[in-house]
Amino acid sequence: MDLQSIKNRFGIIGNDPALNYALQVAAQVANTDLSVLIMGESGVGKEIFSQIIHNLSSRKHNPFIAVNCGAIPEGTIDSELFGHEKGSFTSASDQRKGYFETVNGGTIFLDEIGEMPLGTQARLLRMLETGEFIRVGSSKVLKADVRVIAATNKDLLKLTQEGKFREDLYYRLNTVPIRVPALRERLEDIYLLFRKFVIDFSERYKSNPIQLDEEAKQLLVAYPWPGNVRELKNMAEQISVLSTDKIVNAEKLSNFLPKANQGNRMPMLASAMESAPVKSYNASDASSSNTEREILYKLFFDLRKDSNDIKQLLFELLQQQGTGNSMPKTNAPIAAEGFAMPHSYATANNPMPAQENNYVNYPASSGAPVILNNTDGLDLHEEVEESLSLIDKERELITKALQKHKGKRKDAAHELGISERTLYRKIKEYDIDE
Ligand SMILES: Nc1ncnc2c1ncn2[C@@H]1O[C@H](COP(=O)(O)OP(=O)(O)OP(=O)(O)O)[C@@H](O)[C@H]1O
Ligand SMILES: [Mg+2]
């Protein structure tokens, strides 16, 4: 099944390369029995991934169950998962099957796996390794054939270092890691998702969908979305109910975004808002702060576009490099396959042994506006250093592309996956000899 059909079938919106990659891995791994570990911040859509994997697998007609390990009290989780015998603890008046027994032949989704108590982790590891388990209060070994998909928004590797998560279980679960990118790493998808949610809402309530004016769109994209798609969806529904205007401007939109977060990653927008509160969003206001803000916006969006161009370009390069082995074949852990991955996979969440991977090592870029002249109290030291090497890489790639195409900008731009205009600007900017 191709990516677009998967997106249509599961209602997934977005074209970000890292999201596409995650979907591709999910589709490839679906028809195996390998354990999958889905990582990503809260609200990025991890649960949908578990459903995709189950529904594209040969187990699709067998049961699927999602268990939130963080929501079950420590005292009962073993019994919930593996069952118990009568009298095995005070309230155990009957024998009871656990989820692994009831889901036999199907898939179990263990959400918030980082919250699983250590004792339960030991039982789970045994289940994964041998397919065997024991009900609480029993000594009889039972067997079940259950595919395990786990998800976490925590850094599991860090938890292993703190002794809160078993290292052996971590590696066992991590056979196929899938990292679902944060919304702020998928800038192009933010407005697409917003449109989807307001349109869904308007269809449900037979009204006209609200729209955002240009400035509001920019604000929407600049907001860091710590609660990711879930937060965006809630906001889109809230604004659909509460907004009295059908075309919403930035000032109105900002009322629906928590102020504390607006300040975090939107220094330029925040300072613009402070220097010209409320009225600065009035289009007819031609004050100097307004002009300044427009320049800052422009700078911001140019930077964003550049960073996305580079992301796209590197992603394509990585895909080319990975041709032939860009997907796991069978049971071998991906890390041992020289798996080509986009940058966002090489995180602390995903300890890919660097020497095993044939991907270019380059600094992570979230697409955020990291290079600012106006650094008002911001410590940008680290980002600036990282960006420099990204610039070096970019310069090198542009030079190579120009050489390859004998100075033909159109062809070079095409190969680099950027517009001719952007290429022209970069040639000037980096003073590249053609
Ligand atoms: N790409 C997407 N397209 C459309 N809807 C999405 C997308 N990603 C997530 N959603 C929606 O966002 C909401 C949050 O997703 P989900 O519950 O899967 O997040 P999660 O990663 O499991 O979060 P948590 O760690 O808090 O459990 C859901 O309503 C889901 O349908
Ligand atoms: Mg979830």
Side-chain angles (χ1 to χ4, degrees):
M1 193 183 256
D2 67 285
L3 276 189
Q4 195 51 50
S5 339
I6 295 177
K7 287 181 191 171
N8 295 345
R9 177 162 163 204
F10 294 92
I12 293 190
I13 303 290
N15 296 313
D16 179 83
L19 177 77
N20 285 343
Y21 182 77
L23 286 168
Q24 197 186 329
V25 176
Q28 294 264 152
V29 80
N31 228 351
T32 69
D33 279 335
L34 296 178
S35 310
V36 179
L37 180 61
I38 307 169
M39 291 169 287
E41 291 178 15
S42 182
V44 288
K46 295 186 292 297
E47 188 144 356
I48 317 181
F49 272 80
S50 69
Q51 287 161 12
I52 295 176
I53 296 170
H54 175 72
N55 285 299
L56 297 183
S57 78
S58 53
R59 296 171 180 263
K60 62 176 178 258
H61 298 300
N62 296 335
F64 169 90
I65 189 169
V67 180
N68 185 339
C69 303
I72 304 177
E74 189 161 343
T76 55
I77 188 163
D78 281 354
S79 135
E80 296 260 344
L81 292 175
F82 302 102
H84 63 246
E85 293 298 332
K86 190 174 172 180
S88 56
F89 49 91
T90 332
S91 55
S93 50
D94 273 320
Q95 184 200 58
R96 182 182 179 279
K97 280 187 182 176
Y99 299 133
F100 276 96
E101 260 179 284
T102 50
V103 171
N104 197 4
T107 308
I108 191 162
F109 173 48
L110 298 173
D111 205 358
E112 294 191 34
I113 188 89
E115 303 289 329
M116 185 179 267
L118 282 164
T120 317
Q121 291 178 27
R123 286 175 183 265
L124 175 62
L125 181 65
R126 178 170 182 192
M127 174 73 215
L128 287 169
E129 285 185 336
T130 61
E132 290 174 355
F133 66 97
I134 302 176
R135 287 186 187 156
V136 177
S138 161
S139 54
K140 195 167 143 216
V141 177
L142 301 172
K143 269 196 167 263
D145 164 29
V146 178
R147 205 262 181 92
V148 174
I149 303 175
T152 181
N153 53 30
K154 297 231 168 93
D155 182 348
L156 273 197
L157 192 61
K158 192 157 158 262
L159 291 185
T160 62
Q161 284 150 7
E162 290 165 0
K164 293 181 186 143
F165 203 85
R166 291 180 68 112
E167 205 177 342
D168 43 12
L169 178 61
Y170 170 73
Y171 287 110
R172 180 81 211 186
L173 287 171
N174 207 19
T175 319
V176 181
I178 292 184
R179 184 178 176 276
V180 188
L183 191 54
R184 68 184 159 281
E185 293 168 12
R186 309 161 40 189
L187 298 179
E188 306 291 332
D189 291 351
I190 297 177
Y191 184 62
L192 294 179
L193 280 158
F194 177 83
R195 286 297 298 158
K196 174 198 156 58
F197 295 139
V198 294
I199 289 171
D200 283 355
F201 183 90
S202 68
E203 281 171 359
R204 203 158 59 233
Y205 297 101
K206 312 255 173 308
S207 57
N208 290 326
I210 59 142
Q211 290 179 17
L212 299 183
D213 73 9
E214 269 316 305
E215 256 184 342
K217 281 184 197 167
Q218 294 176 0
L219 178 62
L220 186 85
V221 175
Y223 179 73
W225 300 108
N228 293 293
V229 185
R230 182 180 294 116
E231 184 183 10
L232 177 65
K233 189 173 181 180
N234 288 345
M235 191 285 283
E237 294 189 343
Q238 237 181 56
I239 201 166
S240 296
V241 187
L242 298 177
S243 171
T244 44
D245 309 318
K246 278 294 162 200
I247 298 182
V248 175
N249 63 20
E251 181 207 335
K252 293 271 167 59
L253 177 66
S254 78
N255 293 334
F256 289 87
L257 302 172
K259 293 284 178 294
N261 292 332
Q262 287 188 34
N264 273 354
R265 285 182 40 115
M266 299 192 293
M268 290 177 292
L269 289 167
S271 71
M273 279 165 142
E274 268 159 35
S275 59
V278 187
K279 74 172 169 36
S280 74
Y281 286 104
N282 185 334
S284 63
D285 180 357
S287 68
S288 61
S289 64
N290 208 15
T291 321
E292 186 186 312
R293 192 184 67 240
E294 265 159 30
I295 296 168
L296 288 168
Y297 275 155
K298 175 128 193 4
L299 177 72
F300 174 96
F301 284 95
D302 275 359
L303 280 168
R304 200 195 81 192
K305 171 113 191 22
D306 289 354
S307 122
N308 280 343
D309 284 346
I310 298 166
K311 256 165 90 177
Q312 178 70 36
L313 170 65
L314 284 170
F315 182 70
E316 280 166 20
L317 276 175
L318 290 169
Q319 276 195 323
Q320 280 168 21
Q321 283 200 350
T323 314
N325 67 348
S326 63
M327 278 288 118
K329 285 171 207 124
T330 49
N331 301 355
I334 291 182
E337 297 245 332
F339 205 28
M341 302 183 109
H343 69 84
S344 40
Y345 292 83
T347 65
N349 271 344
N350 190 348
M352 303 288 292
Q355 72 282 10
E356 305 247 23
N357 290 306
N358 56 359
Y359 60 85
V360 188
N361 193 6
Y362 61 99
S365 151
S366 61
V370 287
I371 312 167
L372 309 177
N373 294 327
N374 173 6
T375 55
D376 286 5
L378 278 172
D379 182 7
L380 296 178
H381 177 73
E382 206 182 314
E383 274 100 336
V384 170
E385 258 186 20
E386 283 189 350
S387 302
L388 284 178
S389 60
L390 198 56
I391 288 169
D392 287 345
K393 271 264 167 297
E394 190 181 33
R395 189 204 310 269
E396 194 185 311
L397 286 168
I398 291 175
T399 312
K400 274 192 186 151
L402 283 166
Q403 278 166 359
K404 181 172 167 195
H405 294 283
K406 306 199 172 45
K408 278 194 193 134
R409 284 190 193 152
K410 193 169 170 206
D411 297 344
H414 183 72
E415 170 136 4
L416 288 164
I418 57 177
S419 69
E420 238 183 299
R421 196 174 56 82
T422 307
L423 178 62
Y424 178 66
R425 182 163 51 76
K426 288 185 185 298
I427 290 172
K428 283 189 111 174
E429 205 176 298
Y430 298 150
D431 206 17
I432 294 173
D433 280 336
E434 291 174 79

